[in-house]
Amino acid sequence: MSQSKTSTIVVGKLGAPYGIKGWLKVHSFTDDPQGIFDFSPWLIGQQGKWQNLEVSDWRRHNKGYIAKFAQVNDRDEAVAYTNAEIAVYAEQLPELPEGEFYWRDLIGMSVVTDKGYDLGTVDDLMETGSNDVLVVKANKKDAFGQSERLIPFLTDSVILDVNHEERKVTVDWDPAF
């Protein structure tokens, strides 16, 4: 399945204006917070409307970051972007090495046990302190009466295989859980 050109990924959020020259605080959702600045242009979204903004400058400020956009030149203009989402086109994300994938690639994949039982489909993923967790929406007629399963994403013990071509995750998991 190819990604459409309109597929976007939210990578952060703009905060309050900083200073009088149009700078804004930046809240990054990327693994490496500074990595958000590797993407250009940014798509800035408010009320379902998106526009491209070019980051002309950025720097670390206290425990976070601030950015200046080429199109925003004073505090009044910056106020209009407060709390807007920052997104990038999926195509802007780097290709990952063999065996690695983005969380978004797992959404919608079927999840089956190593014994062949169909547990359902990946509906979401959660970060916990110790490991990531697959949120699996069970099939309507699940034999064990489950509507949802939380399966730890442990690649050495629970997650046996992620097959992108078949859109299937194989797990060592008791369907009764």
Side-chain angles (χ1 to χ4, degrees):
M1 278 192 345
S2 65
Q3 293 284 341
S4 70
K5 287 283 183 224
T6 57
S7 180
T8 58
I9 310 295
V10 173
V11 294
K13 187 174 182 177
L14 292 174
Y18 175 80
I20 60 171
K21 296 187 177 171
W23 289 73
L24 284 141
K25 292 180 181 166
V26 174
H27 305 285
S28 175
F29 302 158
T30 56
D31 279 349
D32 168 17
Q34 191 171 313
I36 195 169
F37 298 104
D38 293 342
F39 302 110
S40 184
W42 284 356
L43 293 163
I44 305 300
Q46 296 171 299
Q47 287 100 33
K49 294 189 177 100
W50 295 89
Q51 71 179 100
N52 285 333
L53 286 185
E54 196 71 40
V55 176
S56 59
D57 199 6
W58 65 272
R59 65 177 176 252
R60 182 179 271 296
H61 179 69
N62 293 333
K63 292 182 180 166
Y65 296 93
I66 56 175
K68 169 79 175 75
F69 298 103
Q71 302 90 328
V72 181
N73 296 305
D74 63 43
R75 187 178 185 88
D76 292 340
E77 290 176 18
V79 166
Y81 295 103
T82 303
N83 295 324
E85 288 186 316
I86 303 166
V88 296
Y89 291 110
E91 292 77 23
Q92 291 175 266
L93 297 176
E95 287 289 317
L96 293 175
E98 186 67 33
E100 291 186 23
F101 38 82
Y102 291 106
W103 273 17
R104 66 184 171 89
D105 297 337
L106 299 174
I107 305 292
M109 282 191 177
S110 64
V111 181
V112 295
T113 68
D114 52 347
K115 313 235 181 338
Y117 185 80
D118 184 354
L119 295 172
T121 57
V122 179
D123 191 47
D124 200 2
L125 288 106
M126 297 186 316
E127 262 185 279
T128 66
S130 54
N131 56 270
D132 298 333
V133 174
L134 287 178
V135 179
V136 179
K137 186 174 170 61
N139 298 309
K140 294 216 184 305
K141 295 182 177 158
D142 187 80
F144 296 88
Q146 301 287 336
S147 62
E148 181 178 85
R149 291 180 175 87
L150 301 178
I151 301 175
F153 200 91
L154 299 170
T155 51
D156 294 335
S157 54
V158 178
I159 305 298
L160 304 178
D161 183 53
V162 176
N163 187 317
H164 291 283
E165 289 74 36
E166 295 180 27
R167 306 237 348 112
K168 182 171 81 174
V169 179
T170 304
V171 296
D172 179 1
W173 194 252
D174 181 347
F177 280 15

